[in-house]
Amino acid sequence: MALQCGIVGLPNVGKSTLFNCLSNAKAQAANFPFCTIEPNVGVITVPDERLTKLAELVNPQRIVPTTVEIVDIAGLVKGASKGEGLGNKFLANIRETDAILHVLRCFDDENVTHVDGSVNPVRDKEIIDYELQLKDLESVDARISKVQKQAQTGGDKQAKLAYDVLVRYKEALEQGKPARTVKLENKEDEKFARELFLLTNKPVLYVCNVDETSAIAGNKYVEMVRGAIKDENAELLIVAAKIESEIAEFETYEEREMFLSELGLEESGVNRLIKAAYRLLNLETFLTAGVQEVRAWTYLKGSKAPQCAGVIHTDFEKGFIRAEVIKYEDYIKYKSESACKDAGKMNIEGKEYVVQDGDIMHFRFNV
């Protein structure tokens, strides 16, 4: 499932450093703008402790985690919507992603140049917001000019629906608000909105890149960002990219855990970021457990059993008969598939079953 999160931000906020921690694809990290021009794509393993616990019970030949794609997009600058810097290319790269990880500099360091001369994450956020909103407004205005006459004079219901949604987006964007703040009335509106591919309608996670001493509780800059996004329908995550780059240098899991423990951190920022990116893309995981492999499979939240069967193989969806489902907690409690079955903890589900995160699935099919 090739859904992607794009990492964006102004130059020198720590995007490429974070990407390097996330991925084995080593993006160039340098102290000057436009270091990253072509977007680097990393296929990142999603940490899932459930796989390890299942493997301890099943003792499979291999463990296969699920993945998510992260794209490192070059730093945007003021005027990008008009093609300044490498603006048009950057905006096109963002448009191709499904969600945005917006990195904000929330640390002081006189050795790392800031393109605007001082640290102010809210100003930085607003610079990028403004460029994305301008581009969206341009798109919305172009669409309005196409449907306005039909919507106002004819009996074209679809044109009226489109016009009404476009006008609401135009009002929000002209007020400096992202498109995702607009509440849509029904599924028809939502479907049309998705077809617009507006940059500011994408789900966003603000990643506050802090210094080591602020890695747990944040700092004044993080609080500034928190206040700025409170009405925006967006999430916030605190990460210290410098710490993460040090963690990435350790060769063993034990060394990383010891380092985290010394800093008072339960989990690395990279792990939290990957999990947050996965949720941001509206993805969940079902599991399969057998002696050959214990495996995590990615599906879109809300998918039904046949669609999830199709994730494994299209034939499974075509010839779907039923799904045998064990809840992860029950499998851990009873320690095997047969014990779960004997305890009445294996459910037989049909085509309308909505798969839940962590379900251990076995599909029956006939083609």
Side-chain angles (χ1 to χ4, degrees):
M1 186 172 292
L3 293 179
Q4 294 182 334
C5 273
I7 299 184
V8 304
L10 291 182
N12 298 343
V13 297
K15 298 183 319 303
S16 294
T17 303
L18 266 178
F19 181 80
N20 288 344
C21 298
L22 288 164
S23 168
N24 289 328
K26 290 291 182 184
Q28 184 188 4
N31 186 20
F32 57 88
F34 307 130
C35 173
T36 311
I37 298 171
E38 292 302 323
N40 295 284
V41 181
V43 180
I44 316 298
T45 297
V46 178
D48 195 331
E49 299 79 6
R50 295 172 300 192
L51 284 176
T52 310
K53 290 186 178 177
L54 278 176
E56 287 169 2
L57 298 174
V58 178
N59 196 25
Q61 292 171 22
R62 60 179 180 166
I63 301 171
V64 184
T66 191
T67 59
V68 64
E69 288 190 9
I70 308 283
V71 187
D72 180 25
I73 297 169
L76 279 123
V77 293
K78 213 176 282 185
S81 60
K82 303 298 179 193
E84 291 295 323
L86 297 164
N88 290 331
K89 193 171 184 61
F90 300 167
L91 292 166
N93 290 334
I94 293 170
R95 198 177 296 284
E96 288 166 12
T97 63
D98 301 282
I100 295 171
L101 306 175
H102 187 158
V103 182
L104 295 166
R105 176 172 168 174
C106 294
F107 65 90
D108 293 304
D109 186 341
E110 60 188 23
N111 295 318
V112 180
T113 308
H114 191 291
V115 286
D116 282 321
S118 63
V119 178
N120 184 334
V122 173
R123 176 202 59 210
D124 295 353
K125 169 192 171 310
E126 287 171 352
I127 287 170
I128 289 188
D129 284 351
Y130 181 70
E131 298 304 328
L132 299 184
Q133 286 163 14
L134 276 183
K135 203 68 185 173
D136 279 351
L137 194 54
E138 192 181 293
S139 301
V140 166
D141 280 339
R143 290 294 291 265
I144 284 176
S145 65
K146 283 184 182 176
V147 301
Q148 186 169 9
K149 194 172 179 183
Q150 287 172 289
Q152 292 177 337
T153 60
D156 189 330
K157 275 189 175 180
Q158 287 305 111
K160 186 166 187 336
L161 177 148
Y163 180 72
D164 290 344
V165 172
L166 288 163
V167 165
R168 293 177 66 192
Y169 278 137
K170 182 177 170 68
E171 287 170 356
L173 292 163
E174 286 180 338
Q175 290 168 23
K177 296 176 183 175
R180 65 182 164 274
T181 60
V182 174
K183 298 281 190 293
L184 299 174
E185 307 299 327
N186 52 53
K187 297 247 188 274
E188 221 176 344
D189 287 358
E190 288 171 8
K191 182 175 181 294
F192 173 72
R194 281 194 297 273
E195 291 166 1
L196 293 173
F197 296 106
L198 296 179
L199 299 170
T200 64
N201 215 8
K202 295 178 186 292
V204 65
L205 171 71
Y206 290 100
V207 183
C208 293
N209 183 15
V210 300
D211 58 274
E212 185 176 317
T213 59
S214 308
I216 297 174
N219 55 28
K220 64 179 182 181
Y221 296 128
V222 173
E223 292 313 307
M224 286 166 63
V225 175
R226 213 184 291 280
I229 69 168
K230 67 180 190 301
D231 300 321
E232 214 184 282
N233 190 24
E235 294 183 47
L236 180 147
L237 187 74
I238 300 169
V239 172
K242 195 172 179 184
I243 289 177
E244 298 305 318
S245 59
E246 290 174 27
I247 292 170
E249 297 300 318
F250 290 118
E251 291 185 8
T252 68
Y253 173 79
E254 287 73 22
E255 285 176 315
R256 288 194 292 271
E257 287 300 296
M258 192 180 296
F259 182 68
L260 284 168
S261 179
E262 286 171 4
L263 293 171
L265 295 168
E266 290 181 13
E267 187 177 24
S268 76
V270 160
N271 276 11
R272 289 185 291 112
L273 181 55
I274 296 167
K275 289 176 181 177
Y278 196 69
R279 290 194 305 272
L280 200 64
L281 290 167
N282 203 27
L283 300 176
E284 290 185 334
T285 304
F286 72 85
L287 307 163
T288 53
V291 290
Q292 284 192 315
E293 67 178 25
V294 165
R295 184 165 183 156
W297 302 87
T298 298
Y299 69 95
L300 277 172
K301 186 176 180 178
S303 296
K304 293 182 179 178
Q307 293 168 291
C308 287
V311 171
I312 298 176
H313 197 288
T314 51
D315 283 351
F316 284 26
E317 183 172 6
K318 286 176 193 168
F320 178 88
I321 299 171
R322 66 178 184 272
E324 295 167 359
V325 184
I326 300 172
K327 296 298 176 187
Y328 168 77
E329 294 77 12
D330 289 332
Y331 203 110
I332 297 301
K333 180 180 176 180
Y334 292 99
K335 302 192 179 341
S336 74
E337 184 179 310
S338 58
C340 287
K341 198 171 182 179
D342 292 343
K345 295 298 182 181
M346 178 188 282
N347 296 327
I348 307 301
E349 304 290 356
K351 291 182 177 180
E352 294 305 307
Y353 176 68
V354 177
V355 176
Q356 303 299 304
D357 185 59
D359 278 353
I360 298 167
M361 312 286 291
H362 185 76
F363 297 105
R364 300 289 183 183
F365 71 102
N366 184 28
V367 176

